[in-house]
Amino acid sequence: MRSLRDRLAGQDVVIQGLASKTGRNQLAAMQAQGTRVVAGVSGRQGGTEVEGLPIYSTMEEACRATGATVALLLVPAEHVRSAALKAFAAGVELLVVLAEGVPVMDALAVAEAAGDALVVGPNSPGVIVPGLAKLGFMPSGVLKPGPVGLVSRSGTLSYEVSLHLAQRSVGVSTWIGIGGDLTPFLPMPRAAELVTADPRTELLVLVGEVGGTGEEAVAQAIADGRLNVPVHALIVGRSAGGDEPLGHAGAVMLGGAGGYDAKVQRLREAGVTVHGTPWELAEAVAAQVTRHEERPAQTAGTVS
């Protein structure tokens, strides 16, 4: 499997919604991480510019003019389906969707239409490969390139985990926020595979929560040998109960499935180290990465 780093390296990016307030505010932060934004799309502001970047009226025009195959959608939830389908028709191969609360039927239609395209979201803070590219609004000021891959369902919890890692001088290889909606486009195990396919990733961190079965699917991927790096996890929702959503639409335990204890048990059975707080996780990860980095290089013929 090609890593997310490989899919982003050297790629031009079109932002649908670049002319919006959010687009204008986030542009500089994305460019600071190396993102090659080449154009924006706005049905009402085609023919104008934002910070010297052309705004096209349609995604087809933007992709044809720039050759870009990577896109970020900064559009309201009710417009995601239309915008995504137009992006696929224009040849977009990697699409990141930030909107929260995309209608379930719309999300299913997007997933069906995606074909071979990789789609991240909805309700995602974005993706980032520090120093290479960032598509989204996750805080990147404290991030530096490093050996830890991060896959999260919760944006704000992953921000805190990233801060604690940064405070311990631990860098990140790739961070994918798959989003907290009920129907994520990118399953958690595949996100983990996209992160760990990068040889720079020496350790994987999962930030999960109650609801759904994504974390259990990661445990199965480990058992199947599809993930071959150490894995640490933070699962929240220990005291949650009932069939009502808790913050995220996806954090709902229907019929008792997706509960905290079951997730933790499955992960631990697969060899994952599960932590109770972000700082405990960061401390353990920092210790493990440090041991790895300080371990003397093996010489030829050495057996570990």
Side-chain angles (χ1 to χ4, degrees), residues 106-186:
D106 286 0
L108 293 175
V110 171
E112 183 176 0
D116 293 333
L118 177 66
V119 190
V120 180
N123 193 11
S124 167
V127 302
I128 184 171
V129 178
L132 177 66
K134 166 184 165 179
L135 302 176
F137 53 75
M138 67 261 288
S140 54
V142 297
L143 293 183
K144 65 176 184 177
V148 175
L150 180 60
V151 173
S152 66
R153 288 175 61 188
S154 168
T156 49
L157 280 170
S158 57
Y159 304 164
E160 185 168 0
V161 168
S162 297
L163 176 61
H164 284 287
L165 290 173
Q167 289 172 340
R168 291 158 177 81
S169 299
V170 176
V172 172
S173 60
T174 302
W175 172 1
I176 299 179
I178 66 170
D181 270 9
L182 187 61
T183 51
F185 300 130
L186 183 64

Side-chain angles (χ1 to χ4, degrees), residues 1 48 51 61 73 147 161 163 187 200 209 212 214 223 230 241 251 254 304:
M1 175 181 286
T48 64
E51 300 297 331
E61 293 174 350
L73 294 190
V161 168
L163 176 61
R200 296 168 180 82
E209 60 191 13
L254 297 173
S304 60

